[in-house]
């Protein structure tokens, strides 16, 4: 099982055909003061399974870490891989809709997905706005 992609975005969905649709990929937000609450973001990742993975279930862990390494949230579950013909692969997409997420301090936050030994992360820089800067993300 592989995780070829993990991103943060303003919006994302998966179509009836299984296509991942994403708008507003970002890796930085700016805040006038801390703590700051971000109204909504999507943590999206793609999983790829090949024939050796087919029919198996894999433990999945999603975490968000603060700049000091403290885990802010942690979610666990399982992903089942469908049967995959030899020499082929299949992909599927996972979306975590995070509303009202609080960032206590400036720094680099890490959104991490782990499936067995495979790890992918989407870092997010949360920075303080310069004094008097009217443009905030």
């Amino acid at each position: 099982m592989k995780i070829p992609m993990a991103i943060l975005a303003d919006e994302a969905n998966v179509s009836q055909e299984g296509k991942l649709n994403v708008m507003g990929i970002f890796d930085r937000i700016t805040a006038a003061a801390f703590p700051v609450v971000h109204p909504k973001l999507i943590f999206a990742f793609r999983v790829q399974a090949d024939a050796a993975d087919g029919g198996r279930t894999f433990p999945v862990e999603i975490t968000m870490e603060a700049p000091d390494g403290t885990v802010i949230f942690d979610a666990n579950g399982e992903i089942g891989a469908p049967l995959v013909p030899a020499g082929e692969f299949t992909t599927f997409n996972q979306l975590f809709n995070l509303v009202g997420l609080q960032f206590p301090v400036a720094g680099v936050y890490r959104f991490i997905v782990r499936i067995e030994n495979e790890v992918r992360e989407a870092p997010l820089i949360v920075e303080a706005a310069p004094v008097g800067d009217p443009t905030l993300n």
Side-chain angles (χ1 to χ4, degrees):
M1 187 76 72
K2 296 178 184 171
I3 310 166
M5 178 192 75
I7 58 168
L8 298 172
D10 291 325
E11 292 291 340
N13 65 57
V14 178
S15 72
Q16 290 179 354
E17 301 83 17
K19 295 177 184 178
L20 177 62
N21 301 301
V22 180
M23 290 192 316
I25 296 172
F26 64 93
D27 58 12
R28 180 181 307 263
I29 60 175
T30 305
F34 290 92
V36 64
V37 174
H38 195 278
K40 179 184 172 189
L41 64 90
I42 308 290
F43 177 47
F45 61 93
R46 174 171 276 197
V47 178
Q48 180 178 317
D50 61 23
D53 301 321
R56 295 178 49 209
T57 301
F58 296 86
V60 178
E61 181 182 22
I62 309 296
T63 56
M64 178 187 153
E65 295 180 0
D68 66 0
T70 303
V71 174
I72 294 176
F73 78 78
D74 186 20
N76 296 289
E78 293 183 336
I79 290 181
L83 294 177
V84 180
E88 294 186 20
F89 66 90
T90 189
T91 58
F92 41 100
N93 303 294
Q94 300 291 310
L95 305 176
F96 281 81
N97 188 357
L98 303 167
V99 176
L101 198 56
Q102 180 173 304
F103 299 94
V105 298
V108 178
Y109 290 78
R110 300 187 186 289
F111 293 78
I112 304 166
V113 57
R114 293 176 179 88
I115 302 175
E116 286 195 329
N117 297 325
E118 186 79 11
V119 179
R120 181 75 57 197
E121 74 175 56
L124 175 66
I125 297 170
V126 180
E127 62 187 0
V131 176
D133 185 352
T135 58
L136 299 178
N137 293 337

